[in-house]
Amino acid sequence: MFRDQDLDGIGDAAVADTRELVATYADAPEFDFTAEVARPVALFAVCRLLGVDPPPVAQFAALSDALLRGMDAGLLPEVREPALAAREKVSELISGWYHATRRPGLLSQVLAGAERAGVQEPEIWNSARVLFLAGYSTTVGAAANAVHALMEHPGALERMRDPRLLAGGTDELLRFDGPVQGTTRACVERTEIGGITIERGQLVLMLFGAANRDPEQFACPDDLVLDRSPNRHLSLGWGPHACSGAMLARLVIRALLTGLLQSPQPPRPAGPPWRERRATLRYPDRLPLTFRPAPV
């Protein structure tokens, strides 16, 4: 169903959104790339994919942040209740947005199939919430990490003008600093890994960031190699466990980089990045940039 959507059109619109935002901040002494560029571009893209009108960016970002903090409820129990409240609110909002507009998109297609299969609407809204948040939060985190990495490697963004590097370079940026740090899976049968026996039912914590820097899998793993090939990183999962927002994340990152490269002046850091302390999702919540030339 993903591939039935107008992905080229969504990508083109994301480039246009980025160009418009770049023009807005072209003369600003400083702007926050995460909040003022990555979040709106990602939100507009996932809304186009699903076929709903975009909500106010700040409102949705606050709900998404509450849900992200809830992923760390095992470490911080106090974040659980706000996350549950945000989860219900997002499901209600998606249902309301759809019934208010009923635009063509992935959500309309899923609902049509659900009716034929006898799936109830509440289950659709729960699944749509997961997809919406996966597409939004993963994309925001991946985009912010990618641009932060490019700012730390002078000349790297300019190299991405080469269309042959854009797709592969996007995956290398995802490998170099992926947004999702890890996930937990339940063992379904007794297994031995590295001499350790894992019994059926035991939980296994996988750390994607560590896997993506494994020297047995990646030559010079701590280096940003934009033309790295092969590049079987795990930043967006793999196989049947791949992130449902993976396709959108790649599409939006490429669109953001294309839009940034079309600016009259290249962006540069305007201050240190700042991160919330989270165990699951890692990216700069604030990434100050400017398009003004560096002082001589």
Side-chain angles (χ1 to χ4, degrees), residues 32-39 41-42 136-152 173-174 176-179 249 252-254 256-257 260 273-275 278 281-289:
D32 178 3
F33 175 82
T34 302
E36 296 170 313
V37 179
R39 282 179 175 168
V41 172
Y136 170 76
S137 60
T138 303
T139 300
V140 170
N145 281 347
V147 171
H148 179 231
L150 291 169
M151 295 300 98
E152 290 192 319
L173 289 164
L174 285 164
F176 186 78
D177 193 1
V252 171
I253 292 171
R254 289 196 293 267
L256 283 164
L257 296 181
L260 289 175
W274 179 81
R275 290 183 172 89
R278 287 187 294 263
L281 218 67
R282 177 185 183 276
Y283 64 88
D285 294 81
R286 187 170 186 276
L287 182 59
L289 301 180

Side-chain angles (χ1 to χ4, degrees), residues 223-245:
D223 294 344
L224 182 67
V225 182
L226 294 177
D227 57 355
R228 186 184 296 275
S229 180
N231 194 348
R232 292 171 61 88
H233 65 81
L234 298 179
S235 292
L236 300 174
W238 194 268
H241 295 293
C243 174
S244 55

Side-chain angles (χ1 to χ4, degrees), residues 9-63:
I10 293 170
D12 291 343
V15 173
D17 290 339
T18 304
R19 281 202 305 261
E20 183 177 341
L21 290 166
V22 164
T24 300
Y25 300 112
D27 296 321
E30 177 184 315
F31 68 98
D32 178 3
F33 175 82
T34 302
E36 296 170 313
V37 179
R39 282 179 175 168
V41 172
L43 183 59
F44 298 160
V46 74
C47 286
R48 291 185 183 104
L49 176 68
L50 289 176
V52 298
D53 288 334
V57 177
Q59 176 197 30
F60 189 77
L63 291 171

Side-chain angles (χ1 to χ4, degrees), residues 166-179:
L166 189 58
T170 296
D171 265 290
E172 173 64 355
L173 289 164
L174 285 164
R175 180 204 70 84
F176 186 78
D177 193 1

Side-chain angles (χ1 to χ4, degrees), residues 160-202:
M160 300 286 276
R161 288 188 186 277
D162 184 343
R164 295 171 299 179
L165 276 184
L166 189 58
T170 296
D171 265 290
E172 173 64 355
L173 289 164
L174 285 164
R175 180 204 70 84
F176 186 78
D177 193 1
V180 182
Q181 291 304 286
T183 191
T184 303
R185 291 285 184 263
C187 181
V188 297
E189 61 181 34
R190 197 168 189 265
T191 306
E192 184 174 305
I193 301 177
I196 304 297
T197 299
I198 305 168
E199 301 293 345
R200 174 182 170 84
Q202 288 186 322

